[in-house]
Amino acid sequence: MELSKDITLGQYVPRDSVIHRLDPRTKIVLWMVLITVLFFIHTYTGYLVFALFILWVTHLAEIPVLYALRGLKPAIPFIIVLFIIQLLFSGSLFADSPNVVFQWGFVRITTDAIRTYSLIMIRVVLLFLSVTILTLATSLVGLTDGMENLLSIGRRIGIPANELAMVMVIALRFVPTLVDELEKIMKAQMARGALIDEGNFIQRTKQKIPILIPLLMSTFRRAEDLIVAMEARCYRGGKGRTKRRQLRLTALDYRAIGITAGFLVFLMAFIRLVPPPW
Amino acid sequence: MSLSTRKIVISGILGAVAILLGVTRIGFIPVPNLSGNATIMHVPAILGGVMEGPVVGALTGTIFGIFSFLNATIPLFADPLVAVLPRIFIGVTAYLAYAATRRINLVLSLVLAATVGTLTNTFLVLGMGILRGYLPAEAFWPIVLTNGLAEVVIATIITVALVLGIERARKGGASAKAS
């Protein structure tokens, strides 16, 4: 019963690569632009160009591609089953498509259906890879800082950026503490003869209760302590607060923005030049 | 919108509980169906909504969403529109169900809050999944009937037990702490 050993929060891999050194704001914004663009690509070759770009970024971040894709492994059977289900049951959606590959009863597989769903599968994999690269190459602190900074643009319309970031920081800060707490509670309850993970799902659910109630009790107690501590130190959100780590855009960031913009222009032109179906 | 220190701290800490349920796998209960697991990771969002109001519920749900997005092991949750957006509403709808029926009966209102909160999660996540093209529309009801209903039962048991337990301990706990 050692819970704390295999806890990975986020998936940050520390390196000293150009991608790691980028300002988190640059990474978040460029990443948002890229995944938005991903949804506007509808050709195999378009996805290929996008994939090459993402692989290049992965290479720059000094992260092995296989390592980045390892999270996809448990999902492969799921994706394949999904692909088959979609093909089998979507006949009605492609009723007027002439290119029937296979027909039996209500099952009607057309080349259009195959194309649509293979493109979705490719998009899912690319989306997954893009998300993974961002979280592998940006620390959670970096992500939070970046988000806070980006959100603060919306402060004028009443978005409490600092407060939202504080919620996130508190959540991340308390996970390890609560893991220790949970481990203690589970050991204590097991010592008293509590069963854990036995029986049917209703029984298993009931077995969680003697663990979760003490956990939440101590959680709320910690919360009350923290509230008092913060108020005693006059916490009042982000007003006039200074930071030790200042975010500053460097030449590297401008280069990244330039390169991404260049890539997007190229991608648009490429999609125009190589029309569907390829 | 301004947030009190209390709301910030409770949302953060309940968010930590949601993350904890995920990383330690304590929040997963094996059920005999296709997906194999029902989750109670959304229960902290329901608790936040019921015990501290819709804002805390929404924030706790958001943290749960961000976490499931960052740790996405299936492609469905690698899309923030599926992973984060629907989760914001769990605590809000749970709070509304609770507030509407609180005067009639406490246990009834908790059962409703847990049911509504859980179904919000199931419906919105599946709905977004279908809208974004990750799931075929035909999969909606089968998943709701197998996974969704099991999660409703589990979330109801846990939510009612937790809220009643915490309320009782808070009332009795005041004297215990003073001693």
Side-chain angles (χ1 to χ4, degrees), chain B residues 46 50 93-116 156 159-160 163-164:
Chain B
I46 298 176
V50 167
T93 56
Y95 163 78
L96 292 176
Y98 173 77
T101 51
R102 172 71 188 82
R103 283 171 190 210
I104 306 170
N105 181 303
L106 176 63
V107 175
L108 172 78
S109 66
L110 291 176
V111 169
L112 277 177
T115 309
V116 170
T156 308
T159 307
V160 174
V163 175
L164 294 181

Side-chain angles (χ1 to χ4, degrees), chain B residues 64-128:
Chain B
F64 162 42
I66 293 176
F67 171 77
S68 81
F69 165 67
L70 291 179
N71 265 31
T73 47
I74 62 170
L76 177 65
F77 294 120
D79 183 340
L81 287 176
V82 182
V84 184
L85 192 66
R87 269 65 187 267
I88 299 174
F89 300 100
I90 300 172
V92 180
T93 56
Y95 163 78
L96 292 176
Y98 173 77
T101 51
R102 172 71 188 82
R103 283 171 190 210
I104 306 170
N105 181 303
L106 176 63
V107 175
L108 172 78
S109 66
L110 291 176
V111 169
L112 277 177
T115 309
V116 170
T118 307
L119 289 180
T120 305
N121 184 31
T122 314
F123 282 167
L124 291 184
V125 168
L126 287 180
M128 277 314 274

Side-chain angles (χ1 to χ4, degrees), chain A:
Chain A
M1 187 58 37
E2 292 289 326
L3 291 169
S4 37
K5 275 191 185 142
D6 41 60
I7 300 292
T8 44
L9 249 194
Q11 326 177 33
Y12 181 55
V13 181
R15 287 272 190 288
D16 190 34
S17 77
V18 273
I19 304 291
H20 285 70
R21 283 203 304 271
L22 282 178
D23 188 302
R25 288 172 297 178
T26 316
K27 279 190 272 193
I28 295 171
V29 171
L30 291 183
W31 170 79
M32 278 169 31
V33 171
L34 282 173
I35 63 166
T36 315
V37 167
L38 190 54
F39 286 99
F40 290 100
I41 306 176
H42 296 288
T43 56
Y44 293 114
T45 40
Y47 280 129
L48 181 69
V49 173
F50 190 92
L52 289 176
F53 183 73
I54 291 292
L55 290 176
W56 180 60
V57 173
T58 317
H59 175 74
L60 283 183
E62 293 170 19
I63 292 164
V65 176
L66 281 180
Y67 182 79
L69 282 172
R70 116 209 97 109
L72 210 57
K73 216 166 120 195
I76 290 173
F78 182 79
I79 298 180
I80 292 174
V81 169
L82 198 63
F83 181 69
I84 294 169
I85 293 177
Q86 280 172 326
L87 273 188
L88 291 182
F89 293 101
S90 64
S92 55
L93 285 178
F94 297 91
D96 42 329
S97 159
N99 307 316
V100 180
V101 179
F102 176 81
Q103 185 154 21
W104 182 75
F106 70 96
V107 177
R108 186 167 182 276
I109 299 172
T110 57
T111 45
D112 290 334
I114 295 177
R115 182 170 180 278
T116 306
Y117 294 120
S118 347
L119 286 178
I120 289 180
M121 272 199 336
I122 297 171
R123 187 205 294 159
V124 163
V125 172
L126 287 179
L127 190 66
F128 184 82
L129 188 60
S130 326
V131 174
T132 318
I133 296 306
L134 177 75
T135 51
L136 285 176
T138 319
S139 68
L140 281 171
V141 179
L143 280 178
T144 325
D145 265 5
M147 285 310 291
E148 175 182 357
N149 207 292
L150 288 173
L151 278 173
S152 64
I153 299 165
R155 199 178 282 154
R156 293 221 184 102
I157 54 165
I159 296 174
N162 174 273
E163 283 84 344
L164 293 179
M166 182 57 90
V167 171
M168 215 39 219
V169 170
I170 290 175
L172 295 174
R173 163 64 187 80
F174 271 91
V175 172
T177 315
L178 292 182
V179 168
D180 285 346
E181 189 86 35
L182 177 69
E183 207 174 314
K184 252 187 246 165
I185 293 168
M186 285 176 77
K187 280 178 178 158
Q189 297 292 38
M190 280 156 83
R192 295 183 179 95
L195 294 170
I196 287 165
D197 283 342
E198 272 172 46
N200 66 30
F201 83 95
I202 300 277
Q203 284 164 331
R204 280 172 197 247
T205 309
K206 285 186 176 155
Q207 286 160 8
K208 309 270 180 196
I209 293 171
I211 294 166
L212 290 179
I213 289 193
L215 179 72
L216 278 162
M217 286 311 301
S218 95
T219 305
F220 275 105
R221 201 161 53 235
R222 279 175 201 280
E224 301 294 341
D225 289 350
L226 182 58
I227 293 166
V228 172
M230 280 169 74
E231 281 180 345
R233 287 163 181 75
C234 304
Y235 174 77
R236 56 194 165 90
K239 251 172 278 161
R241 197 161 171 230
T242 54
K243 284 195 166 248
R244 188 175 68 85
R245 280 161 29 107
Q246 293 287 342
L247 294 177
R248 203 165 280 133
L249 292 180
T250 60
L252 196 63
D253 294 292
Y254 293 115
R255 246 169 70 200
I257 294 168
I259 290 172
T260 313
F263 164 70
L264 291 179
V265 172
F266 171 74
L267 184 67
M268 304 285 184
F270 185 84
I271 291 173
R272 277 284 156 77
L273 284 175
V274 188
W278 295 104

